[in-house]
C-alpha cells in the first residue's frame, strides 16, 4: 500500500456524477474536514490486512503537528485532528516505458475495495471519530490547504 499524507488546515472531496458537471457543487456529495490529514491511498495486488494495520499505526503515531514551541512533535490524536481518505490507484503508476502511465500494479477492485474500507474503518477506530472518505472508483475533485506544507509518502513495501 502507498499513501500520500498531507497535513492540512482543511480538505474536501466532491464526487462528480458521470456526465453531469453541475453535480460537482452538490453539497450532499461533498465531504470535508478541518485540521488534520488528507490521505491519498493506493492498493497493489500484494497488499494484505497486515499492510493496513502497519499503515494505520504509522499514520496515528506520526508526529507532524506543532507543539507549543513550534516543533513538529504532536500526533493527530494529540491535536484532535480529522482525516479524509481518498482512494488513488494512480499512486501505482508505472512510467518507465513511454509517456502514458500504466497502472498494472494497482490492485483489482476485489482486492482494493476491501483493503481501502478496512483502512478507513481501522483509522476511524484508532482516532476515535469518523473518517471522511471519497467514493471508491468515482471521479472526484479534491481540494485542500496543505499546512506547512507537510507532505509525506509511505509505502508498506519500504518499512525500513
Amino acid at each position: 500500500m502507498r499513501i500520500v499524507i498531507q497535513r492540512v488546515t482543511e480538505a474536501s472531496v466532491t464526487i462528480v456524477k458521470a456526465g453531469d458537471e453541475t453535480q460537482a457543487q452538490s453539497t450532499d456529495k461533498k465531504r470535508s474536514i478541518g485540521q488534520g490529514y488528507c490521505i491519498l491511498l493506493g492498493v497493489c495486488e500484494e497488499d494484505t490486512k497486515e499492510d493496513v494495520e502497519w499503515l494505520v499505526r504509522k499514520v496515528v503515531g506520526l508526529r507532524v503537528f506543532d507543539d507549543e514551541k513550534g516543533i513538529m512533535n504532536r500526533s493527530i490524536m494529540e491535536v484532535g485532528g480529522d482525516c479524509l481518505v481518498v482512494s488513488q490507484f494512480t499512486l501505482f503508476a508505472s512510467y518507465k516505458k513511454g509517456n502514458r502511465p500504466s497502472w498494472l500494479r494497482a490492485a483489482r477492485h476485489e482486492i482494493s475495495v476491501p483493503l481501502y474500507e478496512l483502512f478507513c474503518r481501522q483509522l476511524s477506530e484508532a482516532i476515535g471519530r469518523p473518517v471522511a472518505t471519497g467514493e471508491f472508483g468515482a471521479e472526484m475533485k479534491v481540494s485542500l490547504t496543505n499546512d506547512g506544507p507537510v507532505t509525506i509518502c509511505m509505502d508498506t513495501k519500504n518499512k525500513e
Side-chain angles (χ1 to χ4, degrees):
M1 295 182 98
R2 286 183 182 162
I3 63 171
V4 174
I5 183 169
Q6 298 179 324
R7 185 180 77 179
V8 299
T9 56
E10 61 183 358
S12 65
V13 62
T14 303
I15 312 307
V16 179
K17 294 276 188 181
D20 185 2
E21 283 295 320
T22 61
Q23 274 302 101
Q25 301 305 313
S26 174
T27 56
D28 65 322
K29 292 293 183 182
K30 186 171 185 175
R31 288 98 187 227
S32 60
I33 63 166
Q35 178 189 32
Y37 292 143
C38 179
I39 300 171
L40 306 176
L41 180 133
V43 179
C44 76
E45 291 287 323
E46 301 85 32
D47 289 329
T48 65
K49 182 179 129 186
E50 287 74 27
D51 292 307
V52 170
E53 292 166 354
W54 183 85
L55 262 183
V56 168
R57 279 193 310 274
K58 291 304 268 186
V59 168
V60 171
L62 190 63
R63 298 182 332 177
V64 295
F65 292 94
D66 292 347
D67 63 15
E68 62 281 345
K69 295 178 183 175
I71 298 169
M72 286 195 282
N73 201 28
R74 290 195 172 141
S75 70
I76 190 89
M77 300 291 293
E78 293 170 292
V79 299
D82 294 318
C83 293
L84 170 64
V85 181
V86 178
S87 62
Q88 186 76 35
F89 74 94
T90 60
L91 290 177
F92 282 99
S94 174
Y95 44 83
K96 292 183 180 183
K97 288 174 57 178
N99 292 319
R100 185 170 185 267
S102 165
W103 291 280
L104 292 175
R105 291 202 49 229
R108 299 178 314 268
H109 278 126
E110 56 268 17
I111 294 171
S112 55
V113 172
L115 289 176
Y116 168 78
E117 291 173 350
L118 180 62
F119 178 84
C120 293
R121 214 171 30 255
Q122 286 191 6
L123 184 58
S124 177
E125 290 169 6
I127 66 171
R129 61 191 153 283
V131 168
T133 63
E135 186 175 303
F136 197 93
E139 182 181 338
M140 296 172 274
K141 306 292 184 193
V142 178
S143 178
L144 60 95
T145 303
N146 192 321
D147 183 22
V150 174
T151 302
I152 297 172
C153 300
M154 292 183 188
D155 191 322
T156 59
K157 304 306 183 253
N158 188 19
K159 294 179 184 174
E160 297 169 15

